[in-house]
Amino acid sequence: MNYADFMASLAHGDLPHVFLLAGEEPYYTERAEEAILRRLLPVPEERADALIRYEEMPPLDTLMETLETAPFFTDKMVVLVRDAAVFRAGKKKEEDDDAPASKDTVTDRFAALLADLPPTTYAVFTLGTKPDKRRKLYQTVEKHGRVLESAPLRPWNVEGWLNGRLREMGRSMHPRARAFFLNIVGMMQTISLAFLDRQLEKLALYTDRAQFSEDDMRAAFSEMPEVSVFALTDAVSARDIRRALDLLARCRADGVHFTVLLVLLTRHVRQLWQAKRLLMNGTPPKGLGKVMGMHPFIAEKLGGHARAFSEKTLADAVLALADADYLLKTGQAGDELIEDVVIKLCKK
């Protein structure tokens, strides 16, 4: 179950007694965990007596004993197990091929317990990676409980998260602000939803306006190197040589390291080149996003810029950036090499 469906399922009806929150996006896992605890233990003071935490997977015998123990001071007990390695891919000792065959292994008994937990007991397991869906334990939780698949977001589907978060905050975004946000996310090597969420929360605290503006976005993300480099790549795409050189100088003055400049510039030029070739081979502008793994709006805009460049210009720029990377890292040249590439890209 994806995050949106999972959270919606927590809002109504009785909750199952076992949950597995697994996947590579901790933001979803943490929010789902807190939502479950709020439903089961709505009074914060209850958690001291009713919540038992394991920060890593305990021995199964120990965990089973905990799950079978009746609560003494509360009407229910919630057992939270983080880093539940028993759901991870790979053989466990109980499932070793060399172990003697038995119909009553520890894993089998644990699976049977999860399928029929005491009415006063709830179990919540979290795992920071994909679970092994072939395992009996996973299938037991899926059948008798609820599983969250916490998959990381990609640039092309981050807008769904953004829309949902803005609704929760009671805010909206000006189209130019949204375009800026999507461009910045598209340049991130790894998308951290926790970071994006913090920036939006800061905006909500510091502005009373119902609609976030582009200036708000720029202020919120001003500390990110990607922001200043994004402005630079935007100027390069527009082949605005004066603005591009001014922005390059500003990046260097702000302390953006040459490696960051090279990585993001190279990535941008490669994307322009890829878009150019796809358009030449008949891919429609609106179809670039799916092929390139980018948000459709950003990919279509990139395709429009790519038309202005020749393949030779882009190919030469990629090679020049590779040379600059080597020469700068070995101390044989300075930042002027990056400036030279920018000038060649911007020449009409």
Side-chain angles (χ1 to χ4, degrees):
M1 189 180 294
N2 65 32
Y3 175 73
D5 292 340
F6 186 91
M7 296 298 278
S9 75
L10 298 179
H12 307 288
D14 295 332
L15 296 185
H17 283 255
V18 60
F19 296 88
L20 173 61
L21 316 176
E24 299 165 327
E25 179 46 72
Y27 174 87
Y28 286 150
T29 301
E30 290 165 9
R31 285 173 66 91
E33 176 189 306
E34 183 56 34
I36 293 168
L37 294 180
R38 281 200 306 269
R39 274 293 312 270
L40 295 176
L41 305 172
V43 181
E45 291 75 15
E46 286 183 311
R47 297 189 186 184
D49 296 319
L51 179 61
I52 298 174
R53 298 175 188 265
Y54 290 100
E55 294 303 323
E56 60 183 21
M57 189 73 200
L60 289 185
D61 284 328
T62 301
L63 182 56
M64 285 191 288
E65 184 177 345
T66 301
L67 292 171
E68 290 175 322
T69 301
F72 290 105
F73 304 108
T74 58
D75 61 350
K76 67 171 70 76
M77 179 175 68
V78 180
V79 180
L80 172 62
V81 182
R82 295 198 172 108
D83 192 21
V86 72
F87 292 97
R88 191 177 288 140
K91 289 182 177 294
K92 299 296 174 197
K93 291 180 181 178
E94 297 83 11
E95 299 170 322
D96 197 308
D97 290 337
D98 296 330
S102 170
K103 294 182 180 179
D104 189 30
T105 65
V106 176
T107 304
D108 288 338
R109 288 187 282 117
F110 183 52
L113 175 59
L114 294 183
D116 188 24
L117 283 168
T120 55
T121 300
Y122 294 81
V124 182
F125 300 94
T126 72
L127 182 66
T129 187
K130 291 181 181 179
D132 188 342
K133 296 183 179 182
R134 300 167 299 175
R135 288 200 161 192
K136 183 177 181 179
L137 285 176
Y138 176 90
Q139 294 165 7
T140 299
V141 176
E142 187 177 43
K143 180 178 179 180
H144 298 280
R146 204 162 291 165
V147 177
L148 166 66
E149 296 183 19
S150 182
L153 277 190
R154 302 294 183 224
W156 58 88
N157 59 12
V158 74
E159 202 165 10
W161 171 83
L162 175 63
N163 292 336
R165 195 67 188 94
L166 289 172
R167 280 195 299 271
E168 290 175 11
M169 299 169 70
R171 303 295 181 98
S172 63
M173 239 184 220
H174 187 276
R176 288 179 63 87
R178 182 177 291 266
F180 177 85
F181 178 89
L182 294 174
N183 271 301
I184 292 303
V185 171
M187 294 188 74
M188 289 179 174
Q189 300 297 305
T190 302
I191 298 175
S192 168
L193 285 183
F195 170 77
L196 296 178
D197 190 59
R198 283 195 302 272
Q199 304 314 106
L200 292 179
E201 287 286 356
K202 277 194 250 181
L203 275 180
L205 287 173
Y206 290 113
T207 177
D208 294 329
R209 291 188 298 277
Q211 186 179 74
F212 295 138
S213 68
E214 182 180 2
D215 287 340
D216 292 332
M217 289 292 109
R218 290 186 181 277
F221 293 94
S222 60
E223 297 177 2
M224 290 177 56
E226 288 90 344
V227 172
S228 52
V229 181
F230 160 65
L232 170 59
T233 58
D234 204 38
V236 168
S237 292
R239 308 188 86 173
D240 185 339
I241 190 166
R242 178 171 295 180
R243 181 165 169 260
L245 291 177
D246 285 345
L247 288 166
L248 177 59
R250 188 183 306 171
C251 286
R252 291 156 69 182
D254 290 343
V256 179
H257 199 268
F258 75 82
T259 54
V260 175
L261 281 168
L262 284 170
V263 166
L264 295 177
L265 271 173
T266 302
R267 184 183 182 205
H268 183 67
V269 174
R270 285 185 181 277
Q271 287 175 336
L272 284 169
W273 193 4
Q274 184 184 8
K276 178 81 176 180
R277 291 190 64 83
L278 287 169
L279 290 169
M280 290 171 61
N281 291 330
T283 302
K286 291 187 180 296
L288 290 175
K290 184 176 181 181
V291 180
M292 297 179 68
M294 300 174 68
H295 189 280
F297 170 80
I298 304 302
E300 188 173 355
K301 181 181 175 183
L302 189 75
H305 288 309
R307 294 181 188 277
F309 293 87
S310 69
E311 269 203 278
K312 185 177 185 309
T313 297
L314 296 172
D316 288 346
V318 169
L319 292 174
L321 286 166
D323 288 341
D325 182 62
Y326 173 77
L327 293 171
L328 281 163
K329 287 179 178 176
T330 55
Q332 299 180 55
D335 290 353
E336 67 276 359
L337 289 181
I338 302 177
E339 184 176 295
D340 185 56
V341 175
V342 169
I343 292 171
K344 288 177 178 176
L345 279 166
C346 290
K347 281 187 175 178
K348 302 291 185 180

